[in-house]
Amino acid sequence: MGKFEENFSLKKLNTFGINAKAKFFTEFDSVLELKDILNSNIYKNNKTFILGGGSNILLTQDYDGLMMQHKIIGICILEDNDNNIIVEVGGGVNWHEFVMWSVSQELSGVENLALIPGTVGASPIQNIGAYGMEVKETIHKVTALEISTQEIKTFSNEDCNFEYRNSIFKEELKNKFIITKVEFKLSKTPLNKTTYGAIEGELKTLNLEANPKNIADAVINIRNRKLPNPSEIGNSGSFFKNPIISSERFEELQKEFPNIVGYKMADTETKVAAGWLIDNAGLKGYRKGDAGVHKNQALVLVNYNNASGQDIINLSELVQEVILEKYGISIEAEVNFI
Ligand code: EPU
């Protein structure tokens, strides 16, 4: 079994680059190793947290417990027919590497999700999404270890209760299961989801036809232009969720702010672009010490160098207050505070 490290620096293991330490740290690369950890005294006597790519967390202080990093890897084809394949992927596989594998096999279903940081095992938890695609559209099954019984359970797509940036693993099953592997159903026929305007534009500029590989390349270009690279400036992608408000309220806001951006979800509900709200409130590029609102995408908070978790919290609270005051909308963090 992997050993337990003490007083372990997490700076390199969280994309925000926050310099916090874990009292204990270990890794697991198989279910057997995971079970060994669950049966250890260090596990039993401490609070614990499962770390994937560390790309959707904010370490608010030193972690007074056991951090366990998920390293179960492997990509294995389970079924292959004329139209689809079903592929099983270890929860510790880097998400973007899986997307690149998928497009290299000329398979379709995850190409719009290229370059999302994090791991495959974390992808169902918040139903990652970008550029007109959500992972719930290709997830076939999720396999997870139940912590209390140490039994492996399998969840169908329906069992996962997927919603915008949400699933059963963030709600009633929060902290009860550790996702060990995910099965995806990928299509042999390209889906070519280019409706998200920016993709079509990018393909045109590059003079490329729509296919999974080219769509992934287009998304990579768009993301690299807009979103800060965590290896250069610490960040966790979108810091806030896009708030969902009644369409009636949205229409009222439109009178006052004619350029406000929103997407109708159903007739009665509209998802508002929080990036627009923050930008239009004049906060894009705002910086206090080493904590800031990114200059190209206002939904992203950044750590320029030495910001602490508390500095980022202070900034996020300021942003929330300004947005509430100006538009009467509460925005919630998408990132998990640890
Ligand atoms: N906008 C502004 N100013 C800004 C940022 C955005 O006016 O500073 C406007 C844009 O012009 C656009 C609208 O707001 O009209 C939406 O912006 P964008 O397309 O960049 O997407 P988003 O809603 O801000 C969401 C996801 C991203 C994902 C993109 C692309 C959430 C919380 N975020 O952002 O996901 O990459 O769509 O699909 O849903 C992430 O979750 O970490 C993430 C980066």
Side-chain angles (χ1 to χ4, degrees):
M1 186 189 64
K3 57 182 184 337
F4 292 96
E5 310 265 1
E6 281 182 53
N7 230 354
F8 187 85
S9 168
L10 299 167
K11 188 169 167 69
K12 293 207 171 88
L13 300 184
N14 72 102
T15 59
F16 243 125
I18 303 287
N19 195 9
K21 286 187 182 135
K23 189 173 165 199
F24 297 106
F25 176 82
T26 193
E27 298 173 348
F28 56 93
D29 63 13
S30 68
V31 172
L32 266 183
E33 268 196 1
L34 174 57
K35 285 187 180 174
D36 275 347
I37 295 170
L38 298 185
N39 292 326
S40 70
N41 284 332
I42 289 186
Y43 181 89
K44 286 177 192 157
N45 297 329
N46 286 281
K47 64 172 182 172
T48 57
F49 184 79
I50 311 289
L51 190 64
S55 55
N56 205 40
I57 56 168
L58 177 67
L59 296 167
T60 57
Q61 55 193 346
D62 283 344
Y63 188 70
D64 187 26
L66 169 64
M67 278 268 170
M68 310 159 50
Q69 193 169 31
H70 193 156
K71 291 276 178 104
I72 300 176
I73 53 168
I75 299 182
C76 172
I77 294 174
L78 299 183
E79 264 180 60
D80 188 343
N81 63 41
D82 288 350
N83 307 316
N84 302 296
I85 72 152
I86 292 180
V87 63
E88 178 188 277
V89 189
V93 170
N94 173 277
W95 173 262
H96 180 66
E97 278 171 26
F98 166 56
V99 172
M100 289 294 101
W101 174 86
S102 172
V103 301
S104 75
Q105 306 292 308
E106 296 177 14
L107 296 166
S108 182
V110 289
E111 57 274 21
N112 298 44
L113 306 178
L115 220 56
I116 293 186
T119 53
V120 166
S123 66
I125 301 178
Q126 65 151 343
N127 178 23
I128 58 171
Y131 301 102
M133 208 174 246
E134 283 185 309
V135 75
K136 72 170 186 189
E137 293 153 32
T138 41
I139 285 183
H140 183 239
K141 274 185 199 161
V142 173
T143 303
L145 184 81
E146 186 172 27
I147 295 171
S148 62
T149 60
Q150 295 199 13
E151 272 173 30
I152 293 282
K153 299 221 162 128
T154 303
F155 297 84
S156 70
N157 181 299
E158 211 168 65
D159 295 337
C160 296
N161 292 351
F162 288 123
E163 286 172 28
Y164 166 65
R165 292 295 192 275
N166 206 9
S167 78
I168 196 165
F169 304 107
K170 255 184 111 168
E171 298 286 341
E172 54 264 51
L173 299 187
K174 189 170 177 176
N175 298 330
K176 294 198 162 67
F177 282 83
I178 297 168
I179 295 174
T180 53
K181 56 191 182 186
V182 183
E183 284 177 28
F184 297 89
K185 189 173 188 174
L186 300 169
S187 167
K188 290 189 176 174
T189 316
L191 302 177
N192 290 347
K193 285 204 177 177
T194 56
T195 44
Y196 213 91
I199 296 186
E200 245 167 37
E202 190 67 23
L203 289 173
K204 252 197 204 132
T205 312
L206 300 172
N207 204 10
L208 292 173
E209 55 160 16
N211 68 33
K213 171 79 175 63
N214 291 345
I215 289 175
D217 285 345
V219 168
I220 290 170
N221 286 348
I222 299 165
R223 289 186 75 100
N224 279 338
R225 271 204 301 271
K226 268 200 174 172
L227 297 168
N229 180 345
S231 61
E232 286 157 22
I233 307 176
N235 75 91
S236 275
S238 299
F239 193 89
F240 300 103
K241 286 193 266 198
N242 287 327
I244 296 168
I245 63 172
S246 74
S247 298
E248 214 180 319
R249 175 86 189 97
F250 184 75
E251 279 151 30
E252 275 167 31
L253 281 166
Q254 257 178 330
K255 288 182 197 140
E256 200 181 337
F257 307 101
N259 298 328
I260 188 169
V261 181
Y263 315 92
K264 249 196 174 148
M265 312 260 294
D267 275 352
T268 52
E269 287 187 323
T270 298
K271 185 155 83 184
V272 188
W276 186 91
L277 299 176
I278 300 168
D279 187 350
N280 184 63
L283 285 170
K284 183 146 97 177
Y286 173 83
R287 176 171 178 171
K288 180 134 197 273
D290 267 354
V293 178
H294 186 55
K295 61 181 193 334
N296 298 336
Q297 167 45 297
L299 201 50
V300 178
L301 301 188
V302 295
N303 171 12
Y304 283 102
N305 191 15
N306 263 323
S308 65
Q310 193 57 47
D311 295 336
I312 304 285
I313 294 182
N314 294 345
L315 175 65
S316 75
E317 285 175 354
L318 171 85
V319 171
Q320 284 170 319
E321 278 162 27
V322 170
I323 297 309
L324 186 61
E325 173 106 340
K326 192 167 170 78
Y327 312 98
I329 298 179
S330 304
I331 53 171
E332 270 176 51
E334 193 223 69
V335 167
N336 297 300
F337 289 27
I338 311 296

